[in-house]
């Protein structure tokens, strides 16, 4: 039952927002009493904590599965981006923005864990890209991996990038293209252009 509550809460939080969904809403949606939910979770904060941990693990496992496919490094970045966007419901309610605003401690802990996974994934991606000749040999991997992380989290700032001017899916595509163009070789640029054309079909 605990897992079902977390999964339903995860779906509702991502669709409606962490702030908007109440324990009453969740109980009503699941056809159970609020008291039943409280037997598993002391309060909403504990539920949000469990939900974000569940989502983090789900996304991390998915990224690991993609890494096992040994895709071309540029194609791998696009595949991971698509996977993450799908599981964050395209961030239509800016869940991470709400998480940061209303649950800063949970957001901070999540960001630390994200950075650890992100670093391992991106450092490996950059190293393989250099080895395969799609990324430039003279890039500083430690710098690029960190600036890329700062960028992917920074573009979620709705004050800087309001949804009405910067739709999330396009914003993510534009930033990923920006990242790759800054480090790619001619060989990599050809792969990038082909991937962009495929997405436009």
């Amino acid at each position: 039952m605990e897992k079902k509550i977390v999964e339903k809460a995860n779906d509702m939080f991502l669709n409606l927002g962490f702030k908007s969904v109440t324990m009453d809403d969740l109980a009503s949606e699941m056809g159970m009493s609020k008291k039943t939910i409280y037997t598993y979770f002391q309060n909403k904060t504990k539920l949000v904590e469990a939900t974000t941990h569940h989502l983090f693990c789900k996304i991390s496992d998915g990224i690991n599965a993609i890494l096992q496919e040994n895709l071309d490094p540029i194609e791998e970045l696009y595949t991971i981006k698509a996977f993450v966007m799908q599981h964050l419901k395209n961030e239509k309610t800016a869940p991470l923005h709400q998480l940061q605003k209303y649950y800063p401690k949970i957001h901070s802990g999540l960001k630390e864990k994200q950075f650890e996974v992100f670093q391992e994934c991106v450092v490996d991606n950059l190293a393989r890209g250099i080895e395969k000749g799609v990324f430039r040999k003279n890039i500083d991997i430690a710098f690029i991996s960190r600036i890329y992380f700062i960028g992917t989290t920074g573009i979620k700032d709705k004050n800087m990038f309001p949804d009405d001017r910067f739709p999330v899916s396009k914003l993510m595509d534009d930033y990923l293209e920006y990242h790759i163009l800054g480090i790619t070789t001619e060989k990599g640029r050809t792969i990038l252009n082909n991937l962009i054309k495929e997405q436009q079909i």
Side-chain angles (χ1 to χ4, degrees):
M1 180 55 72
E2 183 176 344
K3 185 180 178 183
K4 286 183 178 180
I5 293 171
V6 167
E7 288 177 345
K8 175 54 72 175
N10 177 70
D11 188 58
M12 292 180 73
F13 286 148
L14 290 180
N15 278 301
L16 303 170
F18 285 100
K19 174 66 174 175
S20 306
V21 177
T22 66
M23 297 296 258
D24 284 313
D25 294 331
L26 179 60
S28 175
E29 189 72 19
M30 296 196 71
M32 62 173 61
S33 69
K34 191 164 60 171
K35 186 178 178 182
T36 302
I37 296 176
Y38 281 125
T39 61
Y40 295 97
F41 302 98
Q42 185 180 352
N43 51 46
K44 186 180 174 183
T45 300
K46 292 292 184 185
L47 177 60
V48 169
E49 196 170 27
T51 303
T52 52
H53 177 72
H54 168 76
L55 182 60
F56 172 80
C57 292
K58 196 172 183 179
I59 289 176
S60 295
D61 290 345
I63 289 174
N64 286 332
I66 291 170
L67 297 178
Q68 296 300 315
E69 294 179 30
N70 289 317
L71 301 171
D72 168 85
I74 295 176
E75 184 183 355
E76 180 178 273
L77 288 173
Y78 272 90
T79 303
I80 289 173
K81 185 218 62 165
F83 172 80
V84 171
M85 290 296 288
Q86 178 189 351
H87 281 77
L88 291 181
K89 313 285 187 185
N90 285 331
E91 299 198 87
K92 57 189 174 187
T93 57
L96 292 181
H97 174 68
Q98 289 194 13
L99 189 68
Q100 182 178 15
K101 186 174 181 179
Y102 299 107
Y103 301 93
K105 190 174 179 181
I106 295 174
H107 177 269
S108 179
L110 180 63
K111 192 172 180 180
E112 285 181 21
K113 290 192 290 186
Q114 283 178 323
F115 178 69
E116 289 174 14
V117 171
F118 192 95
Q119 272 293 98
E120 187 176 341
C121 167
V122 175
V123 166
D124 176 71
N125 180 273
L126 291 169
R128 284 189 299 108
I130 291 171
E131 184 183 334
K132 290 178 178 293
V134 297
F135 297 150
R136 290 185 284 108
K137 290 181 179 179
N138 64 338
I139 62 172
D140 183 332
I141 290 179
F143 170 75
I144 297 295
S145 63
R146 282 166 171 77
I147 205 73
Y148 183 44
F149 178 77
I150 289 171
T152 55
T153 53
I155 61 174
K156 293 180 173 69
D157 184 336
K158 297 304 172 184
N159 293 319
M160 292 294 293
F161 299 98
D163 288 333
D164 58 338
R165 289 186 59 197
F166 302 95
V168 175
S169 58
K170 187 176 187 306
L171 186 60
M172 294 297 288
D173 278 339
D174 288 348
Y175 182 68
L176 183 53
E177 185 179 336
Y178 172 83
H179 164 70
I180 294 170
L181 283 173
I183 60 176
T184 194
T185 61
E186 284 296 328
K187 179 181 177 182
R189 197 167 288 119
T190 300
I191 294 170
L192 174 63
N193 289 336
N194 288 336
L195 281 170
I196 292 172
K197 285 178 185 175
E198 285 176 16
Q199 288 193 329
Q200 291 172 343
I201 295 174

